[in-house]
Amino acid sequence: METIKKLIPGCAVLAGSAVLAGCSGTAEEATSNVAQGDEQRPNIIYIMSDDHAVRALSAYGSDLAELAPTPNIDRIAQNGALFTNSFVTNSLCGPSRAAMFTGKFGHKNGFNFNGQEFDGSQDIWVNALHDAGYTTAAIGKWHINLTPKGFKLDHWEILNDQGEYYNPDWITADGVHTEYGYTTDLITDKTLSWLDEQRDESKPFALIMHHKAPHRNWMPAPRHTRTFENVEFPVPQTYFDDWEGRQAAAEQEMTIYLHSQEGHDLKMTTGVGESEWRQDIWPHLFARLTDEQRKEWDDAYQARNDYMNANEANWSDEEMALWKYQRYMQDYLATIISVDESVGEVLDYLDANGLTENTIVVYTSDQGFFTGEHGFFDKRFMYEESFRTPLVMQYPAKIEAGTVVDAMVQNIDYAPTFMEYAGVELYDDVDGQSMVEVLAGNSDQARDALYYHFYEFPGFHMVHRHYGVRDDRYKLMHFYHPGDEWEFYDLSKDPLEVNNAIDNPEYAGEIARLRTRLQELEAQYAVPPMDEWRDMVLQEYKGAKYKLDEMFPDSYEDGKVIRVVE
């Protein structure tokens, strides 16, 4: 699709049918050209949550769909497209965001693990749209620098690092301030305020709306602290996995029943009648609650915690592990309810203001998440629950309602997709490919294989560094630091990924084929030789903290929360 800028050289585009004065050609000629060869450029609302598992989005029809539905996010799938094979390049918050913004793998965009500084001078789809006449904004979680340095944003209000669930600190161009309330709701309010009162209505808009939820430590809104208190969620078949034949899985530190913080994560208290949390490595988060909020919180959890404390001594390890799973799921899914409500408010606003038809609305997560599979919470691994991410997209003017896309896509594909829909020329050296054709049903444009690389070791949860390849049936992974192990899975016969078939002679041919395909992908994406990564020690990761009071001395009090990399 051509833009007005292409049709009338030298013009700066303001909107789908408006151009600045001083261009060659008259306004009447511009209008005529638009009518003949161009269409109104779409608005874009890119909504991304943090750590939303595919299993926890009911449009995918999992075993949680009826117990914990997400009807508003499902509306996007019903109005447009549901992607059944959406994946990331690196299942970690910061690297995933960098890949999404640039359309490039981390070894090209320079952001491979949390705590690095994102280079905002490189090509970014948001900037390309801004240069083409879009008004742009970012509201919510950022997590790839303290501020959106290098991004061409007409408006931005972002959370400090991970953000807090209650009474968060907001960073703006004017400094830092604290606002009282529940963070998901505040992000929603700020988004609707910008759409309704602050955006330049003479231009198409590109809005980045990023939620903190449902990231750890899963603190629901006051209205949802009790929503699932009497619900028993199905336990994954692999919850008590023994990780046989999978050394990296056996050496991780992310099992719900062994490694989650009993206070910080599971809100377990010290005894009957007590409200003090047990182990809590980040006590400042709970300390942010006001006295009123704290009382409401204690009232919601006291009876359940008292029951646990009264019975803990009589429970077996397995019974306690199952109790912890239920507490984890109750809180995790309760934080998603607020995100779903937020999406509903945005969709309702678009409907009420006649913006739905020409607005692309995307909902996704920065990666997948384990909801007890293999005993895990968190992400990082190339196993399906972590590697795969939810993705739904509506654009009524172009995407047929009820579309199901089975083609494999990755988060590097968002940049070229948005740019093609906006009629903006794609910049060079992009690893991703536009999803426009597969959304139109052209399967010839689909990938045959995916490349993945996780770099962060040593680090939180101690997941070994690994890379791998996945096609429509098989997966090959190489865990290369600190060990040296290969894993291979036939996903059609072993969808739970519990039988490492790397030494099974039945698959020798497929393993050899995938090794070759992996080398081809490394060449295609210009991945540096492995010996350059093998000995890399992530010292930058260990010490990555940025003090707000140093960047904003006039608006941030000494001693408040510094940037904590997780």
Side-chain angles (χ1 to χ4, degrees), residues 237-271:
Q237 183 179 335
T238 60
Y239 186 61
F240 292 108
D241 195 345
D242 61 7
W243 313 298
E244 182 180 357
R246 291 155 286 153
Q247 183 176 342
E251 294 180 3
Q252 48 64 42
E253 296 180 0
M254 51 191 278
T255 53
I256 294 170
Y257 47 86
L258 294 176
H259 301 112
S260 59
Q261 296 278 310
E262 290 190 340
H264 175 76
D265 295 327
L266 301 177
K267 295 85 177 177
M268 296 168 66
T269 51
T270 55

Side-chain angles (χ1 to χ4, degrees), residues 214-230:
H215 190 279
R216 189 184 188 186
N217 64 341
W218 317 300
M219 294 180 70
R223 62 187 179 276
H224 292 307
T225 50
R226 293 180 173 176
T227 299
F228 295 123
E229 66 177 338
N230 296 316

Side-chain angles (χ1 to χ4, degrees), residues 128-150:
L129 266 62
H130 187 277
D131 290 344
Y134 274 70
T135 184
T136 57
I139 297 169
K141 187 165 184 174
W142 194 245
H143 200 42
I144 53 165
N145 284 351
L146 194 61
T147 63
K149 181 180 179 181

Side-chain angles (χ1 to χ4, degrees), residues 240 257 312 314-324:
F240 292 108
Y257 47 86
E312 181 179 9
N314 299 319
W315 286 348
S316 65
D317 290 344
E318 180 176 328
E319 288 172 320
M320 176 52 77
L322 291 171
W323 186 92
K324 288 183 175 181

Side-chain angles (χ1 to χ4, degrees), residues 264-480:
H264 175 76
D265 295 327
L266 301 177
K267 295 85 177 177
M268 296 168 66
T269 51
T270 55
V272 175
E274 300 293 334
S275 60
E276 180 183 354
W277 280 359
R278 297 187 186 185
Q279 183 186 24
D280 186 3
I281 59 175
W282 294 295
H284 60 270
L285 298 180
F286 196 44
R288 297 187 76 90
L289 273 65
T290 65
D291 291 343
E292 182 180 356
Q293 290 168 338
R294 179 62 187 263
K295 182 181 185 306
E296 191 171 13
W297 183 276
D298 291 342
D299 288 346
Y301 282 82
Q302 195 69 53
R304 284 178 282 167
N305 279 332
D306 286 350
Y307 172 80
M308 177 273 301
N309 282 309
N311 291 280
E312 181 179 9
N314 299 319
W315 286 348
S316 65
D317 290 344
E318 180 176 328
E319 288 172 320
M320 176 52 77
L322 291 171
W323 186 92
K324 288 183 175 181
Y325 168 77
Q326 295 298 336
R327 168 57 62 86
Y328 161 62
M329 292 296 287
Q330 288 166 3
D331 286 349
Y332 174 78
L333 293 169
T335 66
I336 290 174
I337 297 176
S338 296
V339 174
D340 186 71
E341 293 170 341
S342 172
V343 170
E345 290 191 52
V346 172
L347 295 178
D348 289 347
Y349 177 88
L350 296 178
D351 288 345
N353 289 275
L355 293 169
T356 298
E357 181 72 12
N358 198 47
T359 299
I360 299 169
V361 181
V362 173
Y363 180 87
T364 187
S365 174
D366 52 356
Q367 62 263 321
F369 209 65
F370 291 104
T371 53
E373 299 85 2
H374 308 290
F376 300 160
F377 69 96
D378 207 71
K379 54 264 186 178
R380 290 168 166 79
F381 278 107
M382 195 184 171
Y383 300 133
E384 290 293 284
E385 295 84 5
S386 171
F387 185 26
R388 187 189 297 267
T389 189
L391 176 62
V392 292
M393 181 187 302
Q394 73 175 50
Y395 179 16
K398 293 290 185 180
I399 301 174
E400 184 177 351
T403 296
V404 176
V405 178
D406 293 324
M408 291 187 294
V409 301
Q410 281 185 290
N411 54 354
I412 49 175
D413 297 336
Y414 303 161
T417 302
F418 296 151
M419 293 175 73
E420 180 171 352
Y421 273 135
V424 176
E425 184 177 355
L426 188 63
Y427 41 77
D428 295 333
D429 198 27
V430 172
D431 295 317
Q433 58 189 50
S434 173
M435 299 182 289
V436 170
E437 289 296 321
V438 296
L439 280 162
N442 187 353
S443 60
D444 292 339
Q445 300 299 312
R447 281 190 178 83
D448 73 314
L450 305 169
Y451 176 74
Y452 177 90
H453 201 143
F454 175 80
Y455 298 88
E456 191 180 275
F457 182 94
F460 277 93
H461 307 299
M462 300 303 284
V463 174
H464 296 187
R465 299 182 209 168
H466 61 288
Y467 60 93
V469 58
R470 182 199 193 278
D471 64 15
D472 60 357
R473 175 171 174 175
Y474 301 106
K475 181 185 296 183
L476 179 69
M477 296 184 284
H478 182 206
F479 292 87
Y480 67 93

